[in-house]
Amino acid sequence: MHNYYTILGIADFSGAEEIKAAHRRLSKRYHPDLNNGNKLYEERFREIQHAYEQLRDPLTKERHDNRLRYFYAAKNTYTTPIPEVPVVQPDDPVISWRRSRGAVIAFFILAFLFSGVLFSKPWETNAGKQETFSIGSERETVLNAQGKPHWTTKQGSIEMWAYGKSFVIFQDGTVSNYLNIDSNLHITAPFYE
């Protein structure tokens, strides 16, 4: 992934004035006419121009910032290491005892689950009651509709909740935008006339 802020030599998520100043400074430094048509300077100048074109438009800058936030979030995920299991021979009496005990435990667990299915309320009682949210909904409504988010981030009055690759963005406690990449958000379809 190209980080246009790095190409311009400024901090991530910088403002429009910083982007403009960096573009001017680097354009003067790497302009091909000022460097006798050197191909390396020409290529660098093209990169700078492209980065500036992407960051000066607010819509493409916002998309780039969202991709950058997702990239940083995905990069910082932690997976738990798998513990090493000692190797035991199959004819060991401990193994046979564990297998018989495991079978009894598995039987009781399955019996408990099966009895829960038999004596539970019918499926129809919850049908059609899935909560949804829309732009302007409160945090609690989104929490009831989606459940606990996989991760959250907050910057000032803006907060972002992630559900897989889908995002819900809050501003001052209400939904201001969402990005339903995985199609797993329970959104109330907007009505257009």
Side-chain angles (χ1 to χ4, degrees):
M1 177 180 157
H2 295 290
N3 186 345
Y4 298 126
Y5 296 105
T6 305
I7 293 171
L8 293 178
I10 55 178
D12 291 347
F13 314 110
S14 294
E17 291 300 318
E18 294 168 334
I19 294 168
K20 195 176 205 179
H23 173 255
R24 285 182 184 160
R25 179 176 41 84
L26 293 173
S27 293
K28 289 177 185 176
R29 184 178 190 187
Y30 290 102
H31 198 282
D33 294 341
L34 300 175
N35 294 298
N36 299 326
N38 188 334
K39 294 291 181 188
L40 294 175
Y41 284 96
E42 187 176 330
E43 183 63 32
R44 180 77 171 119
F45 182 75
R46 282 191 195 133
E47 287 178 355
I48 292 165
Q49 289 300 107
H50 179 70
Y52 178 67
E53 290 296 321
Q54 295 299 315
L55 293 177
R56 80 175 184 173
D57 179 34
L59 184 60
T60 56
K61 180 183 183 308
E62 183 180 349
R63 287 182 188 154
H64 177 69
D65 290 351
N66 286 338
R67 282 194 302 266
L68 199 59
R69 284 185 189 99
Y70 178 73
F71 174 75
Y72 286 149
K75 188 176 177 182
N76 293 332
T77 56
Y78 174 75
T79 57
T80 57
I82 300 171
E84 292 186 27
V85 178
V87 178
V88 182
Q89 298 300 326
D91 56 344
D92 192 355
V94 173
I95 297 256
S96 60
W97 180 77
R98 284 184 181 168
R99 284 185 184 155
S100 63
R101 182 180 64 163
V104 171
I105 292 172
F107 172 76
F108 281 116
I109 290 172
L110 289 174
F112 177 73
L113 292 175
F114 186 68
S115 67
V117 170
L118 284 178
F119 301 112
S120 66
K121 293 181 181 178
W123 291 100
E124 294 81 37
T125 58
N126 293 330
K129 291 187 180 179
Q130 174 66 51
E131 287 198 41
T132 59
F133 70 93
S134 62
I135 293 180
S137 297
E138 299 290 327
R139 283 190 189 109
E140 187 174 325
T141 306
V142 176
L143 198 57
N144 291 338
Q146 290 299 127
K148 185 177 176 185
H150 298 137
W151 60 265
T152 63
T153 183
K154 187 171 185 177
Q155 192 171 30
S157 66
I158 298 175
E159 186 174 358
M160 184 167 57
W161 291 5
Y163 296 94
K165 292 181 183 175
S166 299
F167 300 96
V168 179
I169 300 168
F170 297 92
Q171 186 163 9
D172 298 322
T174 60
V175 176
S176 64
N177 204 347
Y178 56 83
L179 185 60
N180 197 5
I181 295 174
D182 284 344
S183 299
N184 60 349
L185 298 180
H186 303 290
I187 305 163
T188 303
F191 177 71
Y192 297 106
E193 293 183 19

